[in-house]
């Protein structure tokens, strides 16, 4: 019996090849999109799940308020919190602290040196807590003792040509370190799906020793409740109540931080919060994040689109199947007269549905495996080269596919099997009003979604373009940035740098050069609480500090609103400050001119010599911070070189030659500042690409359904078309009559979807500090595009029917 049904099912599908092809193609595209989206979502949500006991690990977050006003939220916190919590609360099974530091590492025996930025000073417990998989060396002792380092397998091969390096040494230099580090172990390259990138870890004891050498007698690395640059992780015992633990953190903050005289005097209050390790990548976007994190809302949105696309594909199937009901009515009547039971017919029609979905999923599977490398490259994701999906998402997809296959097949099967044979065979059968209403409703749903996706695509494009093209208040074009030299000691650096700069400016391809502690596009970690001595009652606030030389302001064309730039003519400028207008307002000055000559303090008293117009130091996703700029002619964080546009390659080669002459022990690392800055928009651009791609495919699937429905509608009205033509109807009027019902449905879709589009995209835009205003024309354009797409889809069939010879049309029945 099953084999017979299978044969009949294949025969029925082959009879209407166009109908079958539309259904299979629509379903195959829907399944392909769903699987690709699920792979993306599965990877994004897999971050930090590889760590053992990851469900029990949380990271600390620090929020600071001043006079009840939020000053900042930081992913880092104080190093004194972790040992205090471990000592006082049994819920804390373990903890680890890490703090980043850029090191110049070299293996002089092989003449290999690199500037390394992806590593941390770390407690020994970080190896196990952060899932560092050791290949050689001990998990427990490799980071015990000063001047110890563990490195990744790739890093070992980069410096030594082999990963058998335990016991060997690397010379490490930084602003605070100049030591030979003994390699205590090698670990497997750290997984990419982590909120951290770890190429090396230096023992925490090394940091303690360096601080002591530099005169710190307070054991700041372990006891400080004021230095908040440490990422702090707790491993909680199983069964720990998160709310109870959160309350205990509040007690720690009040006892050790908020009770300090300075905090009380300035009405400063800190709050400590935890975030689960697995949530950091998608749901943590605070100051001083270790890396650029993803967006949980974007991932959830794409997950929803995967469901929507599959839903649109199955809506097509239901629409086309029920539209064919008249065509198959006589078949049902004959089968019932010959004794077929309703259950037999349901099984037959369900088997046809299963065959069609099976064909679609086979085509989709082949397509997915072929497209995965291209899709991963489009998304900038370093996932597996082939298609990969976690067991959880395979189960979700399987559940969706099975449920969708059954539900999309059941309604047509019950409709077709329910026809009365007497009415059908007498020719009295016609489509029911209920079936027509369902099909119209489903078309409205499809095109409502299409309008939302079209409007969303326009708004996403507008927002990304707005961020990339908005005036920043600073000129970052044609700027080559070098990582500052670290190998020269402080006593020699000033003369070496000035000679380097003078020699460099002789190059005709170079217009200017400036040095600074940071550059645009890189987050500033140097912050302090400042207050104005003239407005102590306001309490001041946190200012973001940057050190510059004399040429920085002119180099980047920063606009002075009042006062002057730093000058060699004023020896007092070493205690001077330039602030932006946002800091001026925060410090209580009525206007920029009012701030000139006033003193501000953060333990160190500075005199304001200039106020500049605020500029975007970071991308437009984030607000402009209040900033104070200090004079440090010897600063060596970054060297910004303004270039002529002609012959860039030779100019860069000349810069490299000059660099190697003055700083032979430092690697020559550079980047273009505009590329670096625009890299902050990478995730938003990728989201825009993905949104546009799947929006287009969803609309394409909806058009398949509309094409099939219009074809069947016109087929059923062939005789009507012939009669109208005989009676003198023009081709245009026939096309209008055949198209108008569908166009009305598309217009209704627009009316229903426009407010939904606004709500969805308005909510998305709230994640940006600087954003566009949604214009009404966007929804008008989306509606016009939807109508145009629908009209193009329908018009081919309508024009074809209108141009058909009426004699042929009248003979068709």
């Amino acid at each position: 019996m099953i084999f017979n049904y299978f044969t009949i099912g294949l025969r029925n599908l082959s009879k209407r090849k166009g109908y079958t092809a539309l259904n299979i193609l629509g379903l195959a595209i829907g399944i392909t999109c769903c699987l690709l989206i699920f792979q993306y979502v599965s990877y994004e949500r897999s971050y930090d799940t590889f760590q053992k006991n990851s469900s029990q690990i949380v990271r600390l977050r620090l929020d600071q308020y001043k006079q009840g006003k939020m000053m900042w939220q930081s992913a880092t916190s104080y190093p004194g919190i972790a040992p205090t919590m471990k000592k006082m609360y049994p819920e804390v099974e373990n903890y680890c602290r890490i703090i980043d530091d850029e090191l110049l590492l070299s293996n002089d025996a092989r003449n290999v040196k690199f500037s390394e930025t992806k590593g941390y000073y770390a407690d020994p417990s970080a190896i196990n807590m952060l899932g560092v998989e050791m290949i050689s060396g001990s998990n427990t002792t490799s980071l015990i003792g000063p001047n110890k380092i563990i490195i990744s397998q790739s890093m070992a091969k980069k410096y030594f040509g082999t990963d058998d390096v335990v016991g060997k040494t690397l010379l490490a230099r930084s602003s605070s370190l100049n030591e030979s580090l003994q390699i205590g172990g090698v670990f497997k390259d750290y997984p990419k799906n982590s909120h951290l990138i770890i190429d090396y870890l230096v023992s925490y004891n090394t940091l303690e020793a360096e601080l002591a050498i530099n005169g710190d007698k307070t054991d700041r690395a372990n006891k400080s409740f004021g230095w908040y640059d440490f990422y702090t992780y707790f491993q909680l015992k199983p069964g720990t109540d998160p709310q109870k633990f959160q309350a205990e953190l509040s007690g720690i903050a009040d006892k050790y931080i908020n009770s300090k005289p300075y905090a009380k005097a300035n009405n400063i209050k800190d709050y400590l919060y935890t975030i689960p390790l697995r949530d950091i990548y998608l749901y943590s976007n605070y100051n001083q994040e270790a890396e650029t994190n993803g967006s949980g809302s974007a991932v959830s949105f794409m997950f929803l689109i995967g469901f929507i696309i599959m839903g649109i594909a199955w809506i097509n199937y239901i629409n086309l199947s029920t539209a064919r009901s008249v065509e198959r009515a006589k078949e049902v009547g004959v089968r019932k007269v010959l004794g077929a039971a309703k259950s037999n017919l349901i099984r037959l029609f369900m088997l046809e549905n299963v065959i069609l979905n099976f064909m679609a999923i086979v085509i989709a599977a082949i397509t997915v495996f072929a497209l995965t490398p291209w899709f991963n490259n489009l998304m900038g994701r370093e996932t597996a080269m082939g298609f990969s999906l976690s067991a959880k998402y395979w189960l979700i997809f399987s559940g969706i596919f099975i449920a969708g296959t059954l539900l999309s097949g059941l309604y047509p099967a019950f409709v077709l099997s329910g026809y009365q044979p007497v009415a059908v065979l007498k020719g009295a059968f016609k489509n029911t009003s209920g079936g027509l209403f369902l099909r119209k409703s489903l078309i409205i749903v499809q095109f409502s979604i299409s309008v939302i996706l079209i409007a969303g695509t326009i708004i996403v494009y507008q927002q990304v373009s707005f961020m990339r093209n908005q005036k920043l208040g600073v000129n970052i074009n044609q700027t080559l940035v070098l990582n500052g030299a670290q190998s020269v000691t402080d006593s020699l650096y000033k003369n070496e740098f000035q000679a380097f700069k003078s020699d460099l400016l002789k190059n005709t391809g170079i217009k200017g050069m400036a040095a600074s502690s940071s550059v645009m596009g890189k987050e500033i970690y140097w912050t302090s609480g400042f207050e104005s001595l003239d407005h102590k009652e306001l309490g001041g606030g946190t200012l973001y500090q940057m050190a510059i030389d004399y040429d920085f302001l002119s180099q980047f064309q920063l606009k002075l609103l009042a006062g002057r730039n730093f000058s060699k003519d004023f020896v007092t400028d070493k205690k001077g400050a330039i602030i932006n207008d946002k800091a001026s307002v925060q410090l209580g000055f009525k206007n920029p001119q009012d701030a000139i000559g006033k003193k501000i303090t953060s333990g160190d008293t500075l005199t304001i010599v200039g106020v500049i117009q605020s500029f975007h130091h970071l991308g437009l996703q984030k607000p402009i911070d209040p900033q104070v700029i200090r004079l440090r002619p010897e600063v060596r964080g970054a060297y910004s070189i303004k270039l002529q546009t002609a012959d860039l390659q030779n100019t860069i080669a000349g810069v490299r030659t000059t660099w190697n002459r003055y700083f032979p022990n430092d690697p020559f690392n550079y980047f273009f500042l505009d590329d670096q800055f625009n890299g902050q928009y990478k995730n938003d651009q990728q989201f825009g690409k993905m949104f546009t791609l799947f929006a287009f495919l969803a609309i394409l699937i909806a058009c398949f359904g509309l094409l099939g429905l219009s074809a069947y509608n016109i087929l059923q009205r062939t005789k009507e078309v012939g009669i109208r033509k005989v009676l003198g109807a023009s081709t245009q009027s026939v096309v209008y009559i055949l198209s108008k019902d569908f166009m009305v449905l598309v217009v209704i879709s627009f009316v229903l979807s426009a407010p939904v589009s606004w709500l969805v995209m308005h909510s998305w835009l709230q994640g940006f500090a600087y954003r566009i205003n949604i214009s009404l024309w966007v929804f008008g354009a989306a509606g016009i595009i939807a109508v145009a797409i629908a009209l193009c889809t329908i018009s081919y069939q309508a024009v074809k029917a209108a141009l058909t010879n009426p004699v042929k049309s009248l003979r068709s029945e």
Side-chain angles (χ1 to χ4, degrees):
M1 180 66 75
I2 296 296
F3 179 76
N4 182 47
Y5 284 167
F6 184 78
T7 304
I8 294 169
L10 287 177
R11 188 184 304 138
N12 282 324
L13 291 174
S14 63
K15 280 172 63 179
R16 285 292 183 183
K17 294 182 177 62
Y19 154 83
T20 303
L22 280 177
N23 259 326
I24 290 176
L25 187 58
L27 284 170
I29 293 175
I31 294 168
T32 300
C33 293
C34 187
L35 285 171
L36 288 174
I37 289 173
F38 276 21
Q39 179 187 226
Y40 164 78
V41 172
S42 175
Y43 181 74
E44 291 291 284
R45 291 181 175 173
S46 72
Y47 271 65
D48 298 302
T49 57
F50 58 86
Q51 286 98 327
K52 185 180 179 181
N53 302 317
S54 61
S55 61
Q56 296 168 233
I57 298 174
V58 297
R59 190 188 70 185
L60 206 57
R61 183 187 103 217
L62 176 64
D63 293 0
Q64 187 170 100
Y65 288 77
K66 191 165 188 177
Q67 296 184 341
K69 180 183 176 182
M70 167 72 74
M71 301 306 294
W72 41 258
Q73 296 176 296
S74 178
T76 56
S77 57
Y78 308 116
I81 296 173
T84 302
M85 291 292 293
K86 179 68 171 72
K87 184 177 180 180
M88 295 177 63
Y89 297 102
E91 299 97 320
V92 178
E93 189 168 298
N94 209 345
Y95 70 84
C96 71
R97 298 159 298 180
I98 61 174
I99 181 171
D100 59 334
D101 191 16
E102 181 176 343
L103 297 181
L104 175 61
L105 295 178
S106 60
N107 176 10
D108 293 339
R110 298 183 73 232
N111 194 28
V112 178
K113 59 179 181 291
F114 293 98
S115 180
E116 303 289 352
T117 61
K118 301 302 180 182
Y120 301 86
Y121 293 105
D123 283 313
S125 54
I127 295 176
N128 289 324
M129 285 184 62
L130 299 180
V132 177
E133 188 177 340
M134 300 296 290
I135 296 172
S136 57
S138 168
N139 282 40
T140 55
T141 62
S142 292
L143 285 179
I144 293 178
N147 303 332
K148 294 288 187 69
I149 186 173
I150 62 173
I151 60 178
S152 70
Q153 198 170 16
S154 293
M155 195 167 162
K157 291 177 180 177
K158 181 168 72 172
Y159 283 91
F160 297 96
T162 176
D163 57 14
D164 183 18
V165 297
V166 175
K168 296 181 179 180
T169 60
L170 285 170
L171 179 61
R173 289 186 290 264
S174 72
S175 57
S176 60
L177 183 68
N178 188 8
E179 299 286 351
S180 289
L181 302 180
Q182 184 181 48
I183 299 173
V186 176
F187 57 88
K188 186 177 179 181
D189 288 351
Y190 204 61
K192 300 294 184 183
N193 57 335
S194 170
H195 74 286
L196 296 168
I197 298 176
I198 299 178
D199 290 335
Y200 64 90
L201 294 175
V202 180
S203 63
Y204 204 79
N205 296 133
T206 306
L207 175 64
E208 296 168 342
E210 288 302 313
L211 289 173
I213 291 171
N214 292 324
D216 175 32
K217 305 299 182 183
T218 62
D219 193 15
R220 281 200 305 150
N222 289 300
K223 296 180 179 179
S224 174
F225 281 90
W227 180 16
Y228 66 93
D229 292 333
F230 295 75
Y231 301 99
T232 302
Y233 300 83
F234 292 111
Q235 182 174 330
L236 306 179
K237 291 182 178 178
T240 299
D241 183 350
Q243 292 184 346
K244 182 182 176 184
F245 186 71
Q246 183 65 59
E248 290 166 350
L249 283 172
S250 300
I252 290 289
D254 288 338
K255 182 176 181 180
Y256 291 94
I257 308 167
N258 300 329
S259 61
K260 289 182 178 180
Y262 176 80
K264 285 186 174 182
N266 292 278
N267 197 11
I268 294 175
K269 194 161 187 178
D270 285 359
Y271 295 88
L272 299 171
Y273 299 95
T274 59
I275 181 171
L277 182 69
R278 295 178 179 182
D279 289 348
I280 292 173
Y281 175 70
L282 289 179
Y283 302 105
S284 182
N285 190 23
Y286 306 108
N287 293 350
Q288 296 191 224
E289 292 288 352
E291 302 294 335
T292 301
N293 285 340
S295 168
S297 60
V299 171
S300 297
F301 196 55
M302 292 310 304
F303 193 39
L304 178 61
I305 287 179
F307 282 90
I308 288 171
I309 291 177
M310 286 295 293
I312 290 175
W314 278 314
I315 284 173
N316 279 353
Y317 177 80
I318 294 171
N319 269 341
L320 292 175
S321 297
T322 54
R324 287 189 67 206
S325 58
V326 174
E327 184 184 337
R328 302 197 66 178
K330 287 186 178 181
E331 175 194 342
V332 172
V334 171
R335 287 184 181 278
K336 283 196 171 184
V337 167
L338 295 176
K342 184 174 181 177
S343 59
N344 298 126
L345 293 171
I346 290 174
R347 281 194 288 270
L348 171 62
F349 296 134
M350 283 298 297
L351 185 60
E352 287 183 19
N353 175 55
V354 170
I355 292 170
L356 194 144
N357 276 274
F358 177 76
M359 291 179 176
I361 200 169
V362 169
I363 293 171
I366 295 170
T367 307
V368 164
F369 279 93
L371 291 180
T372 291
W374 168 82
F375 180 72
N376 287 340
N377 183 61
L378 177 71
M379 292 299 98
R381 304 298 177 198
E382 297 184 51
T383 54
M385 284 304 294
F387 179 78
S388 62
L389 201 63
S390 67
K392 173 184 175 181
Y393 286 93
W394 272 122
L395 287 173
I396 293 173
F397 173 76
S398 300
I400 294 170
F401 181 75
I402 293 169
T405 300
L406 292 176
L407 292 173
S408 64
L410 279 175
Y411 178 77
F414 274 98
V415 169
L416 291 170
S417 64
Y419 293 153
Q420 297 300 316
V422 175
V424 170
L425 295 177
K426 281 183 177 180
F429 175 78
K430 61 179 182 178
N431 266 325
T432 64
S433 59
L436 289 171
F437 177 77
L438 175 68
R439 288 197 294 278
K440 289 180 179 180
S441 299
L442 293 177
I443 290 172
I444 290 171
V445 170
Q446 281 185 313
F447 273 86
S448 293
I449 294 170
S450 298
V451 171
I452 292 170
L453 293 176
I454 293 169
T457 300
I458 295 171
I459 291 169
V460 169
Y461 173 79
Q462 283 184 313
Q463 176 62 23
V464 174
S465 297
F466 170 78
M467 291 191 296
R468 293 202 62 177
N469 299 317
Q470 183 75 357
K471 290 184 178 179
L472 303 175
V474 58
N475 182 7
I476 63 173
N477 298 323
Q478 301 167 30
T479 305
L480 182 79
V481 179
L482 309 181
N483 291 340
Q486 301 295 330
S487 63
V488 182
T489 60
D490 289 344
S491 58
L492 300 174
Y493 173 74
K494 184 176 180 180
N495 291 334
E496 286 291 299
F497 173 71
Q498 289 302 325
F500 166 70
K501 184 175 181 178
S502 298
D503 204 351
L504 205 62
L505 292 175
K506 295 176 183 177
N507 190 322
T508 57
I510 295 174
K511 295 188 286 187
M513 176 181 172
S516 58
S517 59
S518 180
V519 290
M520 281 58 73
K522 289 192 173 184
E523 186 176 357
I524 296 174
Y525 291 171
W526 183 16
T527 63
S528 295
F530 277 87
E531 66 179 6
S532 166
L533 296 184
D534 292 308
H535 300 286
K536 283 190 172 184
E537 72 283 356
L538 296 178
T542 298
L543 300 186
Y544 290 74
Q545 300 191 69
M546 185 163 66
I548 64 171
D549 66 1
Y550 294 104
D551 299 318
F552 187 88
L553 261 63
S554 58
Q555 173 100 332
F556 286 102
Q557 298 175 18
L558 294 173
K559 183 179 179 181
L560 273 166
L561 300 177
R564 59 176 176 81
N565 189 6
F566 295 124
S567 171
K568 294 177 182 177
D569 296 332
F570 295 87
V571 294
T572 56
D573 277 359
K574 290 184 178 180
K575 287 291 186 179
I578 295 173
I579 61 175
N580 64 2
D581 52 2
K582 190 164 185 179
S584 176
V585 172
Q586 180 170 295
L587 292 167
F589 301 112
K590 293 180 180 179
N591 56 65
Q593 189 62 47
D594 186 43
I596 303 303
K598 301 299 192 301
K599 295 186 182 299
I600 58 175
T601 182
S602 176
D604 190 13
T605 301
L606 306 175
T607 302
I608 299 173
V609 300
V611 178
I612 59 171
Q613 186 176 67
S614 293
F615 62 93
H616 290 277
H617 188 88
L618 297 176
L620 274 74
Q621 303 98 325
K622 297 185 177 181
I624 294 175
D625 293 314
Q627 197 167 13
V628 58
I629 298 173
R630 307 176 71 163
L631 178 64
R632 294 284 189 276
E634 71 284 358
V635 66
R636 60 171 84 186
Y639 308 144
S640 301
I641 302 169
K642 287 290 183 179
L643 305 175
Q644 303 282 1
T645 54
D647 203 10
L648 281 177
Q649 293 304 316
N650 281 336
T651 301
I652 294 172
V655 173
R656 182 192 296 271
T657 300
T658 306
W659 175 273
N660 290 334
R661 187 182 309 133
Y662 288 95
F663 306 117
N665 293 321
D666 287 276
F668 180 72
N669 295 323
Y670 71 90
F671 57 87
F672 286 98
L673 188 55
D674 54 349
D675 290 340
Q676 159 84 18
F677 194 91
N678 289 330
Q680 298 173 97
Y681 305 130
K682 180 181 177 182
N683 285 343
D684 297 306
Q685 288 176 297
Q686 288 171 344
F687 174 72
K689 289 178 184 177
M690 188 159 53
F691 189 97
T692 302
L693 171 64
F694 290 116
F696 169 77
L697 292 174
I699 295 165
L700 180 64
I701 295 169
C703 289
F704 287 160
L706 193 59
L707 179 65
L709 279 176
S710 62
Y712 274 101
N713 179 58
I714 291 168
L715 183 66
Q716 291 177 16
R717 300 177 70 176
T718 301
K719 195 168 187 179
E720 175 193 340
V721 171
I723 293 171
R724 288 182 181 276
K725 293 282 287 184
V726 168
L727 294 175
S730 65
T731 299
Q732 291 87 347
S733 65
V734 172
V735 170
Y736 169 74
I737 290 167
L738 294 176
S739 305
K740 69 175 182 177
D741 290 341
F742 289 107
M743 300 313 299
V744 168
L745 297 179
V746 175
V747 171
I748 293 172
S749 300
F750 165 71
V751 173
L752 294 176
S753 61
V756 177
S757 303
W758 187 90
L759 287 171
V760 171
M761 299 315 299
H762 177 75
S763 176
W764 177 71
L765 287 171
Q766 298 312 299
F768 300 90
Y770 298 88
R771 50 188 177 267
I772 61 168
N773 293 316
I774 301 177
S775 303
L776 291 178
W777 71 261
V778 169
F779 305 108
I784 291 170
I785 292 170
V787 170
I789 290 171
L791 188 59
C792 291
T793 303
I794 298 165
S795 60
Y796 169 74
Q797 296 289 345
V799 171
K800 182 180 176 183
L803 294 175
T804 301
N805 189 323
V807 175
K808 186 177 179 181
S809 299
L810 292 172
R811 286 177 177 175
S812 67
E813 298 184 26

